[in-house]
Amino acid sequence: MSKAIIIGGGVIGLFSAYYLHKSGWEVEVLDQGDLSDNCSYGNAGMITPSHFVPLASPGMVEQGIRWMFNSKSPFYVKPSLNGELIGWGLKFLKSATKKHVERSAGGLRDIAMYSRGLYHEFEKDSGVEFGLEDKGILMLFKSPKVEEEELHMVEKATNLGLDAQYLTAAECRELQPDIELDILGAVHYHCDSHLYPNQLMKGLIKYLEAEGIKIHRRTEVTRIMHDNDKITSVNTHDKEFKGDAYLIAGGSWSPAIAKMAGLNVPLMPGKGYSFMVNNPVKKMTIPSILCEARVAVTPMNGGIRFGGTMEVGKINQQVNMNRVKGIVESVPKYFPEFKLAVPEQKDVWFGFRPVSPDGLPYIGLSSKYKNLGIATGHAMIGLALGPATGKLIADTFNGEKPGVDLGIFAPGRYD
């Protein structure tokens, strides 16, 4: 039996463990934390084939510059002389072209639709319950400018074969008649789904350990050994782990891990915030994205999770409450009855999304080592693409043809 060592116990690493185990591998997972609160837990819980435009797009550069001067804005890059950030920023600018967006759309659609189907299979096969629902996602907008942009996106989505429908404000109200809305209209992406991330992560970990997969918590990798074109072992402070294949799935910590193997994986952490309202004034059934505010609103576990912002910079443990206030203040502009109080800092969740310069994840084999896989850089769609990424890594390790073309996701594209 072949053995795989996975570095990283987030949703990507765990689903990679699931599919490798399912195909006959012995698997061990190493994580520097205790797996109780990684980036996947505070996620908005959306599975989004509708997100076929990568973060690196022409509109994001223009919008990002305007947002730079607003402490409550949805997107912020902290100015710094950090060489990694400068290098990442230059690559981002180079990637933010119309050609890149068009080239990426089909691949992002395919991998998200693949993942959505795999989530249903996983729910059925594992018996893990995690609140998976296929009610779509509403893109709510207030301004004629954004309405025009969303109509353009609907046309693109339809051309890509996605089920999307423009709705007037009145039609949108009919879907959830108890909720007051102050919007111009919406787009309903029927192709999207949502789930409860906390339940998924806890259930997935419990399932894997019951299946005999060893998960080593508080186990930080300090050294990666290699011989020519093969990784031979990974070391922690007091132990050596050997396998036939290795996977770096460390989220925002992946560049530092890859560097131990002499690899360059351009990536910056994008801090996001979320908080729960457990007893909302009105019950919501369909997740929404507030387009102008870039805020996600998801019903889950009887409550509602509000999340947003992308704060690109070094990993740090500071909570920028201005960002949280930006989320809070945006909600009643769309949902007048939802007059939220700013949560206490202790009730605010934050996590670091791994953001690649071109907005596409890294999935596949390293260009330098034939037994090392890389699966990271998923930014805001890590939870959405968890099952697909895990299955694609397992297919790659097994020498089988992946269910999705991995060309645009090649880990060595910046070598």
Side-chain angles (χ1 to χ4, degrees):
M1 180 187 288
S2 297
K3 183 177 181 179
I5 305 296
I6 296 174
I7 307 171
V11 70
I12 302 298
L14 294 177
F15 267 115
S16 298
Y18 171 76
Y19 285 106
L20 283 165
H21 170 74
K22 201 173 178 183
S23 61
W25 287 69
E26 180 186 351
V27 182
E28 293 193 55
V29 179
L30 318 180
D31 194 88
Q32 64 180 353
D34 62 6
L35 270 67
S36 66
D37 191 30
N38 60 36
C39 191
S40 305
Y41 281 82
N43 191 284
M46 297 177 176
I47 305 166
T48 48
S50 61
H51 287 28
F52 54 83
V53 175
L55 187 65
S57 61
M60 182 52 73
V61 173
E62 180 187 342
Q63 184 68 72
I65 291 170
R66 289 201 296 270
W67 278 334
M68 282 287 289
F69 304 99
N70 180 357
S71 64
K72 296 179 182 177
S73 67
F75 182 79
Y76 179 67
V77 179
K78 188 173 183 179
S80 169
L81 294 177
N82 178 291
E84 290 178 1
L85 177 60
I86 293 169
W88 179 92
L90 291 172
K91 291 181 178 70
F92 185 94
L93 290 171
K94 188 177 179 180
S95 297
T97 65
K98 184 179 178 182
K99 184 178 179 181
H100 172 63
V101 171
E102 290 174 351
R103 178 172 171 261
S104 304
L108 286 171
R109 170 207 59 196
D110 290 347
I111 193 170
M113 289 298 291
Y114 187 45
S115 206
R116 185 176 186 247
L118 290 173
Y119 260 122
H120 283 281
E121 287 182 17
F122 171 71
E123 181 184 46
K124 185 179 177 181
D125 293 346
S126 68
V128 175
E129 293 183 7
F130 47 93
L132 181 62
E133 296 191 74
D134 297 326
K135 294 186 176 179
I137 288 174
L138 292 168
M139 303 291 290
L140 307 178
F141 50 81
K142 293 178 66 68
S143 66
K145 180 178 181 291
V146 175
E147 178 183 36
E148 185 180 344
E149 291 170 359
E150 289 303 314
L151 284 169
H152 183 58
M153 290 295 288
V154 168
E155 184 181 354
K156 280 188 171 182
T158 304
N159 290 338
L160 285 167
L162 297 174
D163 186 358
Q165 175 189 11
Y166 172 83
L167 300 176
T168 63
E171 289 171 329
C172 198
R173 290 185 189 102
E174 287 176 12
L175 293 175
Q176 300 176 105
D178 292 338
I179 297 178
E180 185 184 346
L181 287 171
D182 183 4
I183 58 170
L184 186 60
V187 175
H188 194 177
Y189 282 95
H190 299 280
C191 53
D192 291 358
S193 304
H194 74 284
L195 55 82
Y196 182 32
N198 306 57
Q199 223 164 281
L200 169 71
M201 295 300 291
K202 290 173 183 175
L204 178 54
I205 292 166
K206 185 177 179 181
Y207 177 85
L208 293 177
E209 292 190 314
E211 286 288 303
I213 292 170
K214 294 177 183 175
I215 299 177
H216 302 272
R217 295 163 174 80
R218 299 183 185 86
T219 303
E220 183 181 1
V221 171
T222 57
R223 197 174 180 191
I224 296 178
M225 307 301 294
H226 56 88
D227 183 16
N228 294 320
D229 62 352
K230 290 189 74 175
I231 301 298
T232 55
S233 69
V234 299
N235 296 352
T236 65
H237 292 290
D238 58 0
K239 196 171 180 183
E240 180 181 59
F241 292 87
K242 285 181 170 288
D244 300 287
Y246 301 81
L247 177 66
I248 295 175
S252 292
W253 288 263
S254 295
I257 298 166
K259 195 173 182 180
M260 296 179 204
L263 296 173
N264 177 35
V265 179
L267 204 66
M268 286 301 296
K271 187 190 286 184
Y273 298 96
S274 73
F275 58 92
M276 288 289 295
V277 172
N278 293 318
N279 296 296
V281 290
K282 297 285 185 178
K283 295 293 182 185
M284 180 181 289
T285 57
I286 304 172
S288 300
I289 291 178
L290 316 183
C291 290
E292 290 88 351
R294 303 290 176 105
V295 167
V297 184
T298 312
M300 56 177 70
N301 199 39
I304 299 176
R305 177 168 287 172
F306 299 90
T309 83
M310 175 69 82
E311 189 179 315
V312 178
K314 284 185 175 182
I315 290 174
N316 66 77
Q317 303 302 313
Q318 298 168 349
V319 174
N320 186 334
M321 290 303 292
N322 266 343
R323 300 262 162 224
V324 180
K325 287 175 186 174
I327 296 172
V328 169
E329 291 170 5
S330 70
V331 174
K333 293 175 183 176
Y334 298 78
F335 300 103
E337 294 168 302
F338 287 77
K339 300 196 187 310
L340 307 177
V342 176
E344 291 187 38
Q345 186 167 316
K346 67 179 179 60
D347 296 323
V348 175
W349 177 94
F350 68 91
F352 301 97
R353 311 179 188 102
V355 187
S356 69
D358 59 7
L360 300 174
Y362 301 106
I363 307 171
L365 288 177
S366 153
S367 57
K368 188 173 181 180
Y369 304 104
K370 61 185 181 183
N371 67 337
L372 176 65
I374 296 173
T376 189
H378 294 71
M380 295 167 291
I381 53 176
L383 186 96
L385 301 188
T389 302
K391 181 69 166 66
L392 293 166
I393 287 295
D395 290 342
T396 301
F397 279 13
N398 287 321
E400 298 171 2
K401 184 180 179 182
V404 171
D405 184 358
L406 292 177
I408 62 171
F409 307 121
R413 59 186 185 268
Y414 287 110
D415 287 353

